[in-house]
Amino acid sequence: MTHTAPQNRRNEPDHYDVPAHHGSYPTFALLIEQGVVVPLPRPEDERADPLKGVRSAQTYRLAPGVLPVVTGYRHLTLAGQPIQADLFRLPAHAYSALVTASPTHRAPLCLDVAFTLAREPDVSVRDVRLVLEQSAAHAPRHLDAPHLVPSTLPLQSSWLPEDTLLHMTPGGHWFVTLTFRTTCLTRPLPTERERVALDLGLFPLTTAVHEDGRVQVFHSTPLTLPERGTLTPPAQLLLDQVVYASGRQDAEQVTGYLLRHSSTVVAEQLRVQNLERGFVHRSRDRALLDHHHAALPQALNAARIPLFRLPAGYTSTECPCQTCRHVSPDNRHGALFRCRRCGFTADAHVVAGMNLLRRHERTARRHVRR
């Protein structure tokens, strides 16, 4: 069994890739033609590449003197050319830094009200729909403080606009990479801190298993939302932002817990392609996907907490009992694990965490012996 050691990224900035809208693809071709962006060679060895997880057919950097100007939660310009990209798909601390550094940024009013209402258990769908439509009917305004970025994490970011990159994937899709410098302001020092394994997903959002056997389960907050098709197109876009912000806030509860209780984090080495099959590509699910693959590892890096990624194969179908270790797909029935050989029974997500901890310990011993 091999494992992925944590990358030494402590002195590197954070990079977040946000998808650009298809309508902006011709703009990218124009920017290349005008020399506003220029090709950036990427190292052949992935280990020497500071950008992780980007499948890029071609990467472009900004030409000298060119800086992006952010004008909205989906809008920026390069050399005066407008680009639409989901800028709100950032961790809260990064999004806050982006907005704070952008005096031209405009946002709809009352989105924070819609966010709060949608997360209330007794609110009516009619009330949420009304606030969304009212927000969509008014022109965006400059706000003194960025909306929809409630965060309790002790992280602070500064935006590095000169390090903005553009990526075209092998499939011809474009992404904007925004770069930030993030620091951990304070890190509580509890008396107990140990290895924690994470089973990442949607339902539940995350199961954290400690090496002493303790378990902490995180769930998504239920939302009260109107059907997307009952909203006007502008209100639908605002709905996406509200739902994404809710997923982001739920995911940050996991990060905050790990900052307080972990010395080392072990997580599944999930492939994005496989994970996306279980996601319905609504905004909240995209927020959780962004958290699992980008926001969480970069937050742990800022707090100097090592993160190990291990192969996910058979973690929830292998018996964790030391004297058994029986592996069979029949051991798992939905969220229930019951070993067909020894009868051990537990939550399947907890079993996955137990197996991740054991595998990490085993591979760590191998490296020590070498």
Side-chain angles (χ1 to χ4, degrees):
M1 180 68 66
T2 60
H3 79 292
T4 301
Q7 300 291 333
N8 185 8
R9 300 176 46 255
R10 291 185 176 180
N11 297 319
E12 297 176 5
D14 296 340
H15 303 281
Y16 296 102
D17 309 308
V18 296
H21 295 193
H22 287 75
S24 295
Y25 288 8
T27 302
F28 293 120
L30 180 62
L31 294 173
I32 296 169
E33 180 182 344
Q34 294 177 342
V36 175
V37 297
V38 294
L40 176 67
R42 296 279 291 275
E44 293 184 5
D45 185 352
E46 193 274 338
R47 292 172 295 180
D49 194 342
L51 298 179
K52 307 299 179 185
V54 178
R55 293 187 67 248
S56 175
Q58 182 61 62
T59 301
Y60 297 87
R61 62 174 176 82
L62 305 181
V66 176
L67 290 176
V69 177
V70 175
T71 58
Y73 67 97
R74 292 176 183 264
H75 303 278
L76 73 155
T77 64
L78 280 177
Q81 297 294 334
I83 296 173
Q84 293 188 50
D86 290 342
L87 304 181
F88 65 90
R89 286 182 61 172
L90 292 169
H93 52 88
Y95 187 34
S96 180
L98 181 74
V99 173
T100 302
S102 304
T104 59
H105 180 274
R106 299 290 185 270
L109 295 175
C110 301
L111 274 189
D112 53 340
V113 177
F115 172 86
T116 302
L117 284 176
R119 291 169 64 90
E120 290 290 337
D122 299 324
V123 73
S124 71
V125 171
R126 178 181 175 278
D127 289 340
V128 179
R129 180 187 296 111
L130 180 62
V131 174
L132 288 172
E133 292 291 3
Q134 288 177 342
S135 298
H138 292 84
R141 300 181 186 180
H142 177 72
L143 304 175
D144 293 334
H147 279 193
L148 296 187
V149 286
S151 177
T152 58
L153 299 181
L155 300 174
Q156 185 176 67
S157 292
S158 57
W159 179 37
L160 306 178
E162 65 277 7
D163 292 334
T164 301
L165 300 173
L166 304 180
H167 298 280
M168 185 180 67
T169 69
H173 299 293
W174 284 92
F175 287 79
V176 178
T177 295
L178 299 170
T179 304
F180 299 85
R181 182 75 65 182
T182 301
T183 57
C184 188
L185 300 177
T186 60
R187 185 179 172 193
L189 296 174
T191 55
E192 49 78 30
R193 178 172 279 142
E194 57 186 2
R195 286 187 309 151
V196 179
L198 305 180
D199 182 70
L200 304 172
L202 281 179
F203 307 105
L205 190 160
T206 299
T207 299
V209 180
H210 292 250
E211 55 187 335
D212 68 0
R214 287 179 297 141
V215 175
Q216 181 70 37
V217 182
F218 298 87
H219 297 278
S220 297
T221 302
L223 299 178
T224 301
L225 300 171
E227 290 291 334
R228 203 170 189 276
T230 65
L231 299 171
T232 61
Q236 291 178 11
L237 296 178
L238 301 187
L239 175 67
D240 291 343
Q241 193 180 4
V242 167
V243 178
Y244 188 95
S246 181
R248 176 174 54 201
Q249 179 158 302
D250 289 339
E252 285 195 351
Q253 301 305 308
V254 180
T255 303
Y257 180 85
L258 294 173
L259 295 183
R260 294 189 300 273
H261 298 288
S262 67
S263 60
T264 300
V265 176
V266 184
E268 300 163 283
Q269 192 177 38
L270 296 174
R271 296 181 59 192
V272 176
Q273 299 92 325
N274 292 341
L275 186 60
E276 284 182 340
R277 293 194 189 108
F279 282 63
V280 264
H281 290 287
R282 290 187 298 231
S283 298
R284 179 173 57 181
D285 303 333
R286 289 197 297 264
L288 302 183
L289 179 63
D290 291 346
H291 172 265
H292 293 343
H293 285 273
L296 174 62
Q298 303 211 67
L300 293 176
N301 178 67
R304 305 299 191 255
I305 299 176
L307 169 65
F308 291 84
R309 297 279 196 182
L310 300 180
Y314 310 110
T315 52
S316 62
T317 58
E318 178 182 356
C319 181
C321 294
Q322 187 172 356
T323 57
C324 182
R325 304 299 186 203
H326 176 60
V327 179
S328 171
D330 295 333
N331 287 345
R332 180 171 180 176
H333 303 277
L336 176 66
F337 178 95
R338 185 178 183 86
C339 180
R340 298 295 296 272
R341 176 180 292 174
C342 72
F344 175 84
T345 303
D347 182 278
H349 304 289
V350 174
V351 168
M354 295 170 65
N355 282 323
L356 286 170
L357 286 174
R358 179 183 61 83
R359 293 179 186 184
H360 175 257
E361 183 178 1
R362 185 174 63 187
T363 53
R365 285 199 302 266
R366 288 179 180 175
H367 281 270
V368 169
R369 286 198 296 268
R370 290 176 185 173

